[in-house]
Amino acid sequence: MDDELARRLLGVLERVEPWLPPTPVEVDWNRDVAALWQRHMLGGHLTPVPPRDALRLDDLLGIERQKQALVDNTRAFLRGYPANHALLWGARGGGKSSLVRALLNDLAGEGLRLVQVDRHDLAGLPVLVERLRREPHRFMVYCDDLSFEGHDDAYKALKSVLDGTLTGPPENVLLYATSNRRHLLPESMSDNDDSRLVGEELHHGDAVEEKISLSDRFGLWLGFRPFDQTTYLEACAHWVNWLGDDGDWNDEARGEAIRYATLRGGRSGRVAWQFACQWVGRLRLEA
């Protein structure tokens, strides 16, 4: 009888085991500076990841005001002073995600740690925040390319953590997000149906107020706009010199950079980096 029971239990375990999450690698925050939060049916776990690259703040050109504002806000947070959650929004390729990566590389030595959360895992954000509350380090919880669809309720977990619960986020956690749009929820013309004038004041309807309220909970808004040609060429020169050798940036390269941006339909830090990769790679092949 005992052998039969053991055999049946073993069979059940073999069927259930593929559905269980993998055994997580333990994060050591004294060694690891970044981790991914991955939600699963039993909660979630942190997976340590190495820094993606050696990008530094000085490598990012054309966004000096945004850099300074985010560095000041983050340093205040690291020193235990009041600081705001930050929303980096604007033109694609403008340097939003790169700024967050460079911020971690420059400030990890001052105690900054990063946890990246995918938008689809935001429902588990309250669990993550409570786990980080017990840690002695200071964390930037980061969501890249954040936006929501019309019937996506994941934003409610984010709203709750930002400023909607009795306890609020712990003092050792700050939320940073990047997005191509300032208002993170989709907006439609019908949302304005309930808006009305009261005297000379415009009062928005409930639908508009709901969609604005999420981005309003980020105290620091940083806008990113397309580069002008001068800034774009400065970025191209920087990345060509960073990837290649002295002399790789010249009048020919400048002309090719302008043509490359024209073909891509815009100028940005991302386009400058992509041009530099193409230009330096071609020079090396020809050599």
Side-chain angles (χ1 to χ4, degrees):
M1 185 66 177
D2 290 342
D3 290 343
E4 175 64 16
L5 179 60
R7 186 184 64 78
R8 295 179 65 183
L9 289 175
L10 183 60
V12 170
L13 182 59
E14 288 175 346
R15 291 178 174 84
V16 170
E17 194 169 21
W19 295 91
L20 297 176
T23 302
V25 177
E26 192 68 26
V27 179
D28 179 358
W29 290 117
N30 294 316
R31 176 197 66 214
D32 303 312
V33 299
L36 297 177
W37 171 252
Q38 296 174 311
R39 186 171 64 97
H40 53 70
M41 66 181 70
L42 301 180
H45 64 267
L46 290 165
T47 303
V49 292
R52 170 177 160 179
D53 49 37
L55 185 69
R56 315 300 294 196
L57 290 168
D58 289 342
D59 292 319
L60 302 178
L61 306 180
I63 53 171
E64 298 304 321
R65 180 187 61 81
Q66 295 92 330
K67 278 196 297 185
Q68 193 60 55
L70 198 63
V71 168
D72 289 346
N73 189 68
T74 308
R75 281 210 165 108
F77 166 66
L78 291 174
R79 295 172 187 177
Y81 305 146
N84 279 311
H85 307 297
L87 174 63
L88 287 63
W89 68 276
R92 65 188 190 279
K96 302 181 294 293
S97 301
S98 297
L99 179 52
V100 172
R101 299 202 317 271
L103 188 72
L104 177 64
N105 291 338
D106 275 29
L107 299 187
E110 299 181 26
L112 182 64
R113 298 293 182 265
L114 181 146
V115 177
Q116 182 165 344
V117 181
D118 186 86
R119 181 181 67 81
H120 300 289
D121 292 331
L122 282 174
L125 190 58
V127 176
L128 168 63
V129 167
E130 284 306 309
R131 180 176 299 186
L132 297 179
R133 186 190 296 271
R134 302 190 293 269
E135 295 286 346
H137 298 82
R138 303 189 79 79
F139 296 93
M140 170 174 56
V141 173
Y142 167 55
C143 189
D144 187 34
D145 197 20
L146 183 63
S147 63
F148 300 95
E149 302 305 324
H151 301 290
D152 189 346
D153 288 338
Y155 77 93
K156 294 180 180 178
L158 179 59
K159 282 181 65 175
S160 176
V161 169
L162 280 168
D163 195 22
T165 61
L166 290 175
T167 57
E171 59 89 24
N172 68 328
V173 172
L174 209 58
L175 279 80
Y176 285 2
T178 63
S179 177
N180 290 336
R181 59 193 186 195
R182 185 177 62 179
H183 294 159
L184 302 171
L185 292 164
E187 299 171 89
S188 61
M189 184 67 72
S190 61
D191 293 338
N192 295 304
D193 290 347
D194 294 331
S195 298
R196 64 193 185 279
L197 281 173
V198 179
E200 295 184 356
E201 295 183 354
L202 176 65
H203 287 217
H204 292 298
D206 291 343
V208 174
E209 291 290 349
E210 171 71 7
K211 293 184 176 183
I212 294 176
S213 67
L214 177 57
S215 56
D216 269 355
R217 299 190 184 205
F218 291 90
L220 178 62
W221 285 2
L222 296 175
F224 292 72
R225 291 172 174 79
F227 286 1
D228 59 27
Q229 182 156 294
T230 299
T231 304
Y232 166 70
L233 291 174
E234 288 175 356
C236 288
H238 172 80
W239 290 123
V240 167
N241 292 327
W242 195 82
L243 290 169
D245 300 322
D246 292 341
D248 286 345
W249 179 255
N250 49 37
D251 288 344
E252 183 185 2
R254 186 178 185 278
E256 287 297 324
I258 294 172
R259 279 188 284 275
Y260 188 87
T262 301
L263 290 172
R264 293 299 301 269
R267 296 182 291 259
S268 68
R270 178 183 297 157
V271 173
W273 166 259
Q274 291 168 342
F275 165 75
C277 290
Q278 175 179 292
W279 180 252
V280 174
R282 195 180 84 184
L283 291 179
R284 294 298 168 268
L285 284 175
E286 292 174 351

